[in-house]
Every structure is written in structure tokens, then in C-alpha cells.
Amino acid sequence: MPIQCVAHRGCSGAAPENTMAAIELALSDSNVTWIEVDVQLSRDGIPFLIHDYTLNRTTNGRGPVKDYTWEQLCALDAGSWKSKRYAGERLISLDDCLEAIQGRMEANIELKTQGNRYPGLEDKVIEVIKKHRMEHEVVLTSFDLRSLSKVKENTRSLRTGLIIDQLPKDLFLRLQMLQCSFLSINYKRLTAELAAKAARRGLDVMVWTVDQVKVMRRLAGLHPDLLICTNRPELWPTAFKAPNLVNGRNR
């Protein structure tokens, strides 16, 4: 499997993150095979796409995400903060996201939670995935160990992945205990040795978030089967179709 391009929150370098505009740009890019999105719950239990725990940065709303109903969230402008071109862009549900990408690309769905912030988040997300029969087209990832455990308590048919920013000494033991088959790691922490160990254990590895051609190339030289998450998929042809690269590895 060659190096794969993952569009971070959609093509979020060009369009407002975690919106349909960003997803549609990703779908239109032939280099993108995966999309990464963040999911939280509305006050009335609707899984939808947003990264921050507050609405302040990416909408014209204010305050904690969990305090708003889905009807209230749908009325917010989630595009003007990016540019006037996207004024009026709306937040979208996980249901709408999966309907758009089904059969066209795979999805890394980050369960955006801490502790008991969103009781029932995992079950709600799994319900939507099963509705679209996309169990084999998604992986559920999280920093939160309890959240990953809850997914496996609900169903063993879904892949899960641990997200890490620092390298714990017991990383592979944690992954084994959590029954994870996917590792999402800050690109600065990845080494060739770690990538090789993960591959030997049957783990897929995604590095985040890489927006420089030189860094993409360096990472590709560490292992041929990485997923590289980027805000700028438009850089992919420059990074991997250059003459000095063969099969994602430096000559």
C-alpha cells in the first residue's frame, strides 16, 4: 500500500474545517483517499462535526458546544471566519458527512471528548456508521482511552485507533489492551523504528498534521505504508510525483 493522503478536517487549508465545503474539496481531489473529521454531540444528542469544545473560533456562536441543540447549531455561520467566500456555510452532522463520502473515501472519525463530557457519544456515532453500513470504511480514533474502550464494548466490528502527541513507554501494550489497529501520531514523534514496529504488529499509522513538502518526503522515507494527514492535499503532487521519489521513498 503506497503512502496515502488524508485530508485534515477536509481540505481545511482552503475551506472552513469540518464543513461540507471542505469535504467536497477533498472529494474532488484524486490524491485524497481518506478524510479526518472531529465529532462531538449537540445537547440533544446529534453527532456533528466540530473540533473545539467551544463555538467561538469556527462559528459566530459563543460558549460550549454541548450547551446547544442541533437546531440552534444549524443556524450558526461556520464559514465567515475563514473567508467571505464561505459566509453562511453551516455545521454538518456526521450523518450528512458519511452520506457524502460513502463509497468514495475512508474516514478517520475522531471522538472529541474528555472524561464524561459526552455520555453516549460512542453509541450515537456507531449508530450512524451502521446506518450507512460503513463499518469497514471508517476508523474511530481518540486521545481518550475510555472512549476507545466504550467503542469495543459496543461492537468489535469497528476499527479503533489511539491518538498520541507524546510517546508513552508502554505504547504497544496500550494499543494491545485497547484492541486498537490504528495509531494516529504527531509527525514529530515518528521514527523509522517505530513505524516498522507498528507495521510488524499489523497497525496502520497516520501522522499529523503535515503541510510542508519537505516534511512529507522525509516521512515517506521512514516507511512506505504511512497515512499522512494534511490541511493541504494540493501539495501532494509536488511531494510525491517529483523525479527523485519512487514509490514514496527518496532515491
Side-chain angles (χ1 to χ4, degrees), residues 40 48 50-59 61-66 68 73 76 117-118:
Q40 299 184 49
F48 75 101
I50 193 167
H51 176 269
D52 297 4
Y53 289 128
T54 68
L55 297 166
N56 302 30
R57 180 175 66 87
T58 58
T59 78
R62 291 292 179 270
V65 167
K66 64 184 180 66
Y68 286 71
L73 291 164
L76 298 177
R117 180 181 294 268
Y118 291 118

Side-chain angles (χ1 to χ4, degrees), residues 1-18:
M1 181 177 64
I3 301 291
Q4 296 191 71
C5 181
V6 185
H8 184 236
R9 307 177 194 167
C11 288
S12 55
E17 65 185 56
N18 284 320

Side-chain angles (χ1 to χ4, degrees), residues 13 33 35 54 58 60 77 116 119 122-123 127 140 147 153 160-161 170 179 222 224 232:
T33 54
I35 194 166
T54 68
T58 58
N60 62 340
D77 181 340
N116 201 38
E122 299 79 15
D123 291 347
E127 182 181 340
L140 296 181
S147 187
E153 288 171 8
T160 55
D170 62 345
Q179 302 175 60
L222 298 181
R232 301 189 62 195

Side-chain angles (χ1 to χ4, degrees), residues 4-235:
Q4 296 191 71
C5 181
V6 185
H8 184 236
R9 307 177 194 167
C11 288
S12 55
E17 65 185 56
N18 284 320
T19 64
M20 191 58 74
I23 291 170
E24 287 174 349
L25 278 180
L27 287 168
S28 69
D29 189 329
S30 61
N31 293 301
V32 177
T33 54
W34 282 74
I35 194 166
E36 186 271 350
V37 295
D38 309 281
V39 175
Q40 299 184 49
L41 280 186
S42 66
R43 193 175 77 193
D44 47 345
I46 303 299
F48 75 101
L49 275 55
I50 193 167
H51 176 269
D52 297 4
Y53 289 128
T54 68
L55 297 166
N56 302 30
R57 180 175 66 87
T58 58
T59 78
N60 62 340
R62 291 292 179 270
V65 167
K66 64 184 180 66
D67 290 349
Y68 286 71
T69 66
W70 180 235
E71 182 179 5
Q72 292 171 323
L73 291 164
C74 284
L76 298 177
D77 181 340
S80 291
W81 68 274
K82 186 72 173 179
S83 75
K84 292 180 179 179
R85 175 183 176 186
Y86 291 106
E89 190 72 25
R90 301 302 176 190
L91 295 167
I92 63 169
S93 66
L94 178 62
D95 192 22
D96 288 336
C97 172
L98 295 188
E99 184 176 351
I101 69 170
Q102 186 174 19
R104 302 176 67 183
M105 63 174 56
E106 296 183 77
N108 173 352
I109 302 170
E110 179 177 346
L111 300 169
K112 202 75 184 178
T113 187
Q114 293 175 330
N116 201 38
R117 180 181 294 268
Y118 291 118
L121 171 65
E122 299 79 15
D123 291 347
K124 295 283 189 180
V125 169
I126 291 169
E127 182 181 340
V128 175
I129 293 168
K130 288 186 174 181
K131 172 188 172 183
H132 291 277
R133 299 180 180 179
M134 292 181 67
E135 292 93 330
H136 301 293
E137 299 174 59
V138 304
V139 59
L140 296 181
T141 61
S142 188
F143 282 99
D144 193 274
L145 307 187
R146 288 178 59 192
S147 187
L148 295 174
S149 295
K150 287 175 184 177
V151 172
K152 290 299 184 182
E153 288 171 8
N154 180 300
T155 177
R156 297 189 181 275
S157 65
L158 281 168
R159 299 177 65 205
T160 55
L162 179 64
I163 309 174
I164 60 169
D165 194 8
Q166 302 293 331
L167 275 178
K169 292 181 179 179
D170 62 345
L171 172 60
F172 289 106
L173 178 60
R174 289 190 192 189
L175 291 165
Q176 181 181 358
M177 295 294 289
L178 290 166
Q179 302 175 60
C180 289
S181 59
F182 193 97
L183 174 64
S184 176
I185 181 172
N186 184 326
Y187 79 88
K188 297 176 183 178
R189 311 299 176 205
L190 188 70
T191 63
E193 180 184 8
L194 178 59
K197 283 183 179 179
R200 288 197 296 271
R201 288 164 172 79
L203 296 163
D204 289 325
V205 177
M206 186 191 83
V207 287
W208 51 268
T209 302
V210 189
D211 292 334
Q212 302 84 29
V213 166
K214 287 184 179 180
V215 179
M216 289 178 179
R217 289 178 175 175
R218 179 181 66 77
L219 291 165
L222 298 181
H223 199 276
D225 296 334
L226 294 179
L227 293 88
I228 297 181
C229 191
T230 178
N231 296 308
R232 301 189 62 195
E234 70 272 13
L235 297 177

